[in-house]
Amino acid sequence: QQKVQQSPESLIVPEGAMTSLNCTFSDSASQYFAWYRQHSGKAPKALMSIFSNGEKEEGRFTIHLNKASLHFSLHIRDSQPSDSALYLCAVSNRIFFGDGTQLVVKP
Amino acid sequence: ETAVFQTPNYHVTQVGNEVSFNCKQTLGHDTMYWYKQDSKKLLKIMFSYNNKQLIVNETVPRRFSPQSSDKAHLNLRIKSVEPEDSAVYLCASSQGGTLYFGAGTRLSVL
């Protein structure tokens, strides 16, 4: 069964900082990689996804995938207090989720 | 905009009772899922349905059973609830990878 692990478990950063979240997976045949964000009391919502090696940028968010090292990451530039949430990485084919990183951005 | 609808929002029940949760999606997706999110926010897949066929069953206890009448509906029945079933149950649908979640049903078992 696919193993998906996230690090760190929790993170506190000041407003304006660069935030980096990590995810490792075990199945090299995986084809879909995504980050979801879940604000307190709300449902998870897809943030970004990537299918092939490399980088993808959308606004302040960048996702980076390295299939050979079984690793992908999310980088948040100029972190804002509104970015404070639980971040979940997800890997196909059965859409397994990591255990989450709780991010707090302090004003 | 909500496109995955779950009912009820909350349910409180006692050990041994039967409960059912409903989920409907209006996105026209082919695949629907049930996830369980526990008090530590761990999100674990329980079932998925693709065109009314069960394609994932992640060794959940047999008291849990998914029920689908068509590709837009996926309900979850728990035959005899246990205290460890207390959690938020999230329904989702997908097409091409991205999951769209409902708001969840919070179950409390006394």
Side-chain angles (χ1 to χ4, degrees), chain A:
Chain A
Q1 181 166 321
Q2 174 84 264
K3 275 197 159 186
V4 182
Q5 293 183 300
Q6 286 186 241
S7 63
E9 279 187 23
S10 63
L11 192 56
I12 301 175
V13 301
E15 184 175 354
M18 170 73 86
T19 297
S20 294
L21 309 176
N22 299 293
C23 188
T24 60
F25 53 97
S26 59
D27 185 357
S28 58
S30 301
Q31 295 180 357
Y32 166 82
F33 307 87
W35 286 95
Y36 287 74
R37 182 165 71 178
Q38 186 176 23
H39 285 108
S40 182
K42 303 288 186 184
K45 193 170 180 184
L47 203 53
M48 289 181 73
S49 61
I50 194 167
F51 292 88
S52 55
N53 271 342
E55 269 190 11
K56 182 178 172 182
E57 183 179 330
E58 290 180 2
R60 295 185 294 111
F61 299 88
T62 301
I63 190 171
H64 181 87
L65 170 64
N66 184 330
K67 281 191 179 182
S69 59
L70 303 175
H71 175 265
F72 69 110
S73 56
L74 178 71
H75 305 278
I76 308 174
R77 177 172 45 86
D78 187 24
S79 299
Q80 298 297 306
S82 57
D83 295 329
S84 298
L86 179 70
Y87 286 77
L88 297 156
C89 66
V91 180
S92 69
N93 296 315
R94 296 178 177 179
I95 315 198
F96 292 95
F97 282 88
D99 291 347
T101 295
Q102 188 69 52
L103 173 66
V104 174
V105 181
K106 291 206 171 246

Side-chain angles (χ1 to χ4, degrees), chain B residues 48-74:
Chain B
S48 72
Y49 253 74
N50 181 283
N51 284 331
K52 293 172 67 176
Q53 288 188 321
L54 180 69
I55 58 172
V56 173
N57 184 337
E58 295 295 325
T59 63
V60 300
R62 295 178 67 127
R63 60 181 180 277
F64 289 84
S65 59
Q67 298 164 326
S68 177
S69 56
D70 55 58
K71 74 173 190 177
H73 296 84
L74 184 65

Side-chain angles (χ1 to χ4, degrees), chain B residues 10-35:
Chain B
Y10 303 94
H11 191 79
V12 181
T13 191
Q14 298 199 330
V15 171
N17 284 351
E18 178 174 318
V19 299
S20 283
F21 305 145
N22 300 312
C23 181
K24 169 188 160 184
Q25 56 99 358
T26 60
L27 294 164
H29 290 166
D30 286 334
T31 309
M32 294 184 70
Y33 306 81
W34 277 104
Y35 283 85

